[in-house]
Amino acid sequence: GALRPPMAAAARGGRRMTPAAVVSTDVVFRQDEDLVDEINEIAETAQHHSATAAAAAAATVTAATAAAVSRTSSRKAGRRRVREPVLTLEGDTLEQTPGMVAYIVAFFALTVGILARSLSAAPLGAAAGVAGGAVMAELFSGTFHWATDNYGSLQTPVVGFACAAFQGHHLAPWTISHRPFANNVYKIARAALPLSGLAALCLPPPLAAF
């Protein structure tokens, strides 16, 4: 993208410069009409000035070239970063609905209630239950994630939707950045609500905390 020798020679000799002597032959310039127009406009203006002015114009062209190339690169980089979301499950959406928010609020409210009851009834037992539950949750979620990432499909019984969603996420990982928070996590809350409710009703406080 540097200034071509014909341009520099024209500046030193005081000869008039033509657009052809200025425009780079690099592919990026041939493909960027805005860049070519900008440089040619400066060159045409310099045709009517002295050698000193031509030298100054040469420096201006060099700077304009660098700036235009930078803008072109930024636009192309921006186009690479902006990707359209890809949905793999039928009926999936990127919208956030009140129902999604309600699932999350209900789950957190139930969880806080279980923990409060457990801590008030048996603080040490509740603490042990929370610690054990955290370890088991990590083990289960990691194993489940690994399995559905690598095995199964939409036709797999019971967990087919998870297989399709997890595998689809790795094919188009940028889709998650288009999802609002509630849209992204409400399915976990919806699945955990019945289990948490049964734990609260059927288990003693320390085990319910687990």
Side-chain angles (χ1 to χ4, degrees), residues 29-105:
F29 296 132
R30 292 202 306 270
Q31 292 179 345
D32 194 325
E33 295 180 0
D34 293 338
L35 172 61
V36 173
D37 292 341
E38 183 174 350
I39 296 173
N40 284 345
E41 182 179 352
I42 296 172
E44 290 167 359
T45 301
Q47 290 177 6
H48 306 290
H49 293 78
S50 65
T52 301
T60 304
V61 169
T62 301
T65 299
V69 169
S70 176
R71 290 196 300 271
T72 301
S73 299
S74 297
R75 290 197 299 269
K76 290 179 179 178
R79 286 196 295 269
R80 286 195 298 268
R81 287 195 297 269
V82 178
R83 296 183 177 181
E84 292 299 319
V86 178
L87 301 178
T88 57
L89 292 176
E90 185 178 354
D92 196 5
T93 178
L94 298 176
E95 297 179 358
Q96 178 170 290
T97 66
M100 297 175 184
V101 177
Y103 275 119
I104 295 171
V105 171

Side-chain angles (χ1 to χ4, degrees), residues 9-196:
R12 287 195 301 271
R15 293 185 287 107
R16 286 190 174 186
M17 297 171 294
T18 64
V22 179
V23 179
S24 170
T25 56
D26 292 345
V27 173
V28 65
F29 296 132
R30 292 202 306 270
Q31 292 179 345
D32 194 325
E33 295 180 0
D34 293 338
L35 172 61
V36 173
D37 292 341
E38 183 174 350
I39 296 173
N40 284 345
E41 182 179 352
I42 296 172
E44 290 167 359
T45 301
Q47 290 177 6
H48 306 290
H49 293 78
S50 65
T52 301
T60 304
V61 169
T62 301
T65 299
V69 169
S70 176
R71 290 196 300 271
T72 301
S73 299
S74 297
R75 290 197 299 269
K76 290 179 179 178
R79 286 196 295 269
R80 286 195 298 268
R81 287 195 297 269
V82 178
R83 296 183 177 181
E84 292 299 319
V86 178
L87 301 178
T88 57
L89 292 176
E90 185 178 354
D92 196 5
T93 178
L94 298 176
E95 297 179 358
Q96 178 170 290
T97 66
M100 297 175 184
V101 177
Y103 275 119
I104 295 171
V105 171
F107 172 72
F108 276 103
L110 180 58
T111 301
V112 170
I114 291 173
L115 292 177
R117 188 189 69 165
S118 300
L119 287 170
S120 63
L124 292 179
V130 169
V135 172
M136 291 303 298
E138 284 294 318
L139 290 174
F140 172 78
S141 62
T143 303
F144 182 80
H145 199 149
W146 167 81
T148 52
D149 273 353
N150 293 280
Y151 303 100
S153 66
L154 185 60
Q155 286 71 42
T156 301
V158 183
V159 295
F161 74 96
C163 295
F166 280 38
Q167 292 166 20
H169 164 69
H170 288 283
L171 292 174
W174 57 87
T175 300
I176 196 172
S177 65
H178 293 266
R179 294 183 182 276
F181 174 78
N183 176 284
N184 196 41
V185 302
Y186 85 96
K187 293 178 182 178
I188 300 173
R190 184 176 62 185
L193 264 173
L195 298 176
S196 298

